[in-house]
Amino acid sequence: MALAGLAALGLGSTAEAQQPRTLRIAMTASDVPTTTGMPNNGFEGMRFLGYPIFEALTLWDLSDPSKPAGLRPGLAESWEQDSTNPRVWRFTLRQGVTFHDGTPFTADSVIWNLDRYFRNDSPQFEAGGSGITRARVTILESYRKIDDRTIEMTTVRPASYFPYMVVFILFTSPQSFEAAGRDWARVATNGAAGTGPFRITRFVPRQSVELSRNDNYWDTARRARLDRIVLLPIPEANTRLAALRSGQVDWIEVPPPDAIQPLRAAGFQITTGSYPHVWPWFFQMGGNNTPFRDVRVRQALNYCIDRDGLVQLLAGTAEPSVGWLKPNDPNFGNPQNRYRFDPARGRALLAEAGFNAQRPLSFRVMISPSGSGQMLPLPMNEYLQQNLREACGVNVEFEVTDWSNLLTATRTSADGAAVRNVQSLNPSSPSSDPSVMARYFLNASRPPNGFNWPNWQDEAFEAAFARLEAARTPAEANAAYAEAHARLVDNPPWLYIVHDLNPRAMSRRVRGFTSVQSWFQDLVPVDIQ
């Protein structure tokens, strides 16, 4: 959205700027994430229109920035895996929680929401929210209410990491649906009621959404300091920068790298930090028109790219990626391949696979101009295009599409109409826990059941992951996790490029923000002066 559009909303006026405790955030999203309780626009949607308003039975623990975020109790006080049947999990619900509309959070409202996502024939079925949730929660077989305090969920197979999937099932008040005439489009217009520390109070389609503090939030120690948050989709990086410099917003996601030092010099706050995120290209191995069935081609490209040069282009706001996990992660494993910029090795592998100067490797990548975790995709991809051509004689073309379309493509079969002319996709990915690994790489997670768009299959990976799922101790789980990850490196389904360092720029008026090792950030302690 242009600066003129911000002014039209009144967000550039002196009166707006002087309103106390109102934080204005410029997102990278091209549109306002959906407001029905299961936001689109990827994890940026979850970061701003998900967890601050709507909660799950389990929640991310964002209290310790020194380590990757784990889980903490949310709308469930506790959970346990059945000792005799490891496919069964029981969740004890928190009592005394109310939705923003005053209705109680109950076991019945949990079942209502699960039916909304997982039962196509339910009156409250929501196709958009269901597609997102099912892609993240890929192994739920059944669920039932045991009593007013207990919900039971059964998975299709044992999964030691299942609570990390439950964190993506958000809960909306059934009354939101009834009050809107049982019409999810009307729910979106008004904004659904959740249980979180903020509530939706104003929505302007394609322009902004306003959140207000929930003064009745169930966790009295975690009531928000801000009165309001205004969220604005501004996909173009320089427009976000101009909005920050002019005082029309207080916080921007992903500032342009060349603006970071000038912003610091001008007194703006810059935050960065390591977190579980990887920015890759996906290789398609299942389509009718792809060069990536040959592992030598996939390995070659991982040796052909100059990751350090790309990090330099990004002014140090990323770090090289040589696997799904970072090399210093204890679960990285011991792969045979340690990728680095080695064009000679890359060209040799390509030649073994039949590609040379007379028959160059050529393919097409679907990319987006912006989006959640996408960093600065246009200059980054242009850099890679030139890098691959000069280092290894590889010809790359791009198909540029909207971020939401790119996300849809990741859940599309190899020869679906949306991806028929591309052999690679460029969506960023979380790498936070084994549940994410499951939905991106297991053979069972091929679209539409998950995000294994490459149609990758590796028997050693499947065996290691089965041991991880059945593990009953952290030592067993970690050993299997490391073995599985080593297969992701040696038989790569992706081109591993960089890990994002999550840069943000803020006005000096913003106080209380701490960047944690998660896609999701805690807005409760944030204040503005």
Side-chain angles (χ1 to χ4, degrees):
M1 180 170 55
L3 292 179
L6 297 178
L9 289 171
L11 295 173
S13 68
T14 301
E16 176 74 25
Q18 290 179 347
Q19 281 199 7
R21 306 164 75 89
T22 297
L23 177 68
R24 301 158 299 169
I25 299 176
M27 304 179 291
T28 68
S30 60
D31 195 2
V32 177
T34 46
T35 56
T36 58
M38 180 47 66
N40 61 7
N41 275 277
F43 273 9
E44 188 175 46
M46 289 288 282
R47 178 187 296 150
F48 292 123
L49 264 298
Y51 295 118
I53 307 104
F54 309 98
E55 297 179 303
L57 299 180
T58 61
L59 290 174
W60 294 104
D61 184 353
L62 305 177
S63 62
D64 186 352
S66 69
K67 61 183 181 181
L71 296 180
R72 65 179 176 89
L75 294 177
E77 292 180 342
S78 61
W79 56 89
E80 64 178 0
Q81 189 175 21
D82 190 280
S83 59
T84 59
N85 183 356
R87 294 172 53 232
V88 174
W89 292 80
R90 295 184 187 89
F91 297 83
T92 301
L93 303 185
R94 190 175 299 279
Q95 301 297 288
V97 177
T98 59
F99 289 102
H100 300 148
D101 58 13
T103 59
F105 170 79
T106 63
D108 291 330
S109 62
V110 171
I111 297 299
W112 186 93
N113 276 275
L114 293 173
D115 286 349
R116 163 196 178 187
Y117 297 131
F118 295 102
R119 270 192 56 201
N120 293 30
D121 62 346
S122 68
Q124 66 270 28
F125 178 71
E126 183 198 6
S130 173
I132 294 168
T133 305
R134 288 182 178 185
R136 294 171 178 162
V137 186
T138 57
I139 59 173
L140 180 61
E141 180 180 86
S142 62
Y143 47 87
R144 67 188 181 105
K145 171 185 171 181
I146 294 180
D147 55 43
D148 288 344
R149 292 205 63 187
T150 313
I151 295 292
E152 183 178 276
M153 298 188 192
T154 302
T155 57
V156 298
R157 59 182 184 273
S160 58
Y161 51 79
F162 184 61
Y164 281 91
M165 287 188 168
V166 173
V167 78
F168 294 112
I169 306 174
L170 302 185
F171 292 95
T172 295
S173 165
Q175 181 58 29
S176 294
F177 185 64
E178 296 296 330
R182 298 191 165 197
D183 182 346
W184 283 113
R186 289 181 61 191
V187 174
T189 299
N190 298 325
T195 60
F198 291 93
R199 56 192 177 89
I200 298 171
T201 49
R202 185 168 182 250
F203 169 57
V204 181
R206 302 198 66 81
Q207 291 188 11
S208 68
V209 64
E210 178 185 300
L211 312 180
S212 296
R213 182 179 59 244
N214 175 17
D215 289 325
N216 297 313
Y217 185 49
W218 58 267
D219 189 345
T220 56
R222 284 187 42 77
R223 288 182 178 167
R225 298 181 181 181
L226 291 164
D227 295 316
R228 295 195 310 155
I229 298 174
V230 179
L231 299 168
L232 301 150
I234 307 181
E236 207 281 312
N238 285 319
T239 306
R240 291 196 298 276
L241 175 63
L244 180 66
R245 285 190 175 278
S246 65
Q248 293 184 310
V249 299
D250 310 294
W251 163 326
I252 64 173
E253 299 284 285
V254 195
D258 59 1
I260 288 177
Q261 289 306 322
L263 284 170
R264 280 199 178 107
F268 291 92
Q269 303 177 69
I270 304 294
T271 69
T272 59
S274 177
Y275 76 122
H277 167 273
V278 59
W279 194 90
W281 287 356
F282 292 12
F283 296 132
Q284 178 54 256
M285 286 163 266
N288 293 322
N289 180 31
T290 178
F292 296 125
R293 292 192 183 92
D294 192 325
V295 66
R296 294 170 296 186
V297 175
R298 292 178 269 127
Q299 290 175 341
L301 293 186
N302 273 290
Y303 283 109
C304 284
I305 60 169
D306 182 2
R307 298 169 177 87
D308 290 331
L310 184 55
V311 168
Q312 186 176 4
L313 174 73
L314 295 169
T317 59
E319 53 193 345
S321 169
V322 292
W324 188 67
L325 297 173
K326 298 180 181 183
N328 61 355
D329 192 296
N331 295 311
F332 187 86
N334 295 296
Q336 296 178 5
N337 288 270
R338 296 285 178 162
Y339 298 121
R340 60 193 180 279
F341 186 38
D342 189 345
R345 186 166 184 179
R347 288 193 300 268
L349 285 165
L350 288 174
E352 289 179 18
F355 296 102
N356 51 40
Q358 291 72 42
R359 183 178 178 255
L361 173 65
S362 301
F363 60 95
R364 190 175 181 86
V365 187
M366 181 181 287
I367 68 174
S368 65
S370 65
S372 169
Q374 290 298 89
M375 305 177 67
L376 299 171
L378 295 182
M380 292 170 71
N381 279 301
E382 288 168 357
Y383 172 92
L384 292 167
Q385 183 183 49
Q386 181 177 348
N387 171 189
L388 286 169
R389 182 174 61 249
E390 294 177 352
C392 291
V394 175
N395 297 324
V396 177
E397 295 181 349
F398 296 124
E399 180 173 318
V400 183
T401 188
D402 181 79
W403 172 232
S404 294
N405 293 334
L406 180 57
L407 286 178
T408 299
T410 65
R411 300 192 294 270
T412 302
S413 63
D415 294 309
V419 295
R420 188 169 296 138
N421 297 318
V422 299
Q423 294 79 46
S424 181
L425 302 180
N426 171 226
S428 58
S429 161
S431 53
S432 55
D433 60 85
S435 78
V436 181
M437 181 182 274
R439 66 177 186 260
Y440 276 95
F441 302 115
L442 281 178
N443 185 50
S445 295
R446 297 186 186 199
N449 299 320
F451 295 101
N452 186 1
W453 182 81
N455 284 250
W456 183 73
Q457 184 173 6
D458 182 288
E459 290 183 5
F461 174 88
E462 296 279 332
F465 205 86
R467 291 195 297 276
L468 188 160
E469 291 187 319
R472 287 301 186 107
T473 69
E476 292 173 342
N478 290 336
Y481 197 11
E483 187 176 336
H485 186 265
R487 294 305 305 156
L488 289 178
V489 177
D490 285 332
N491 184 17
W494 294 359
L495 177 61
Y496 302 112
I497 303 171
V498 292
H499 299 288
D500 186 7
L501 290 184
N502 214 11
R504 295 181 172 85
M506 302 176 186
S507 161
R508 68 187 65 171
R509 299 173 59 233
V510 179
R511 296 286 185 269
F513 175 75
T514 301
S515 183
V516 297
Q517 294 188 48
S518 172
W519 275 71
F520 313 107
Q521 301 295 321
D522 190 0
L523 299 178
V524 165
V526 176
D527 205 346
I528 193 161
Q529 296 179 349

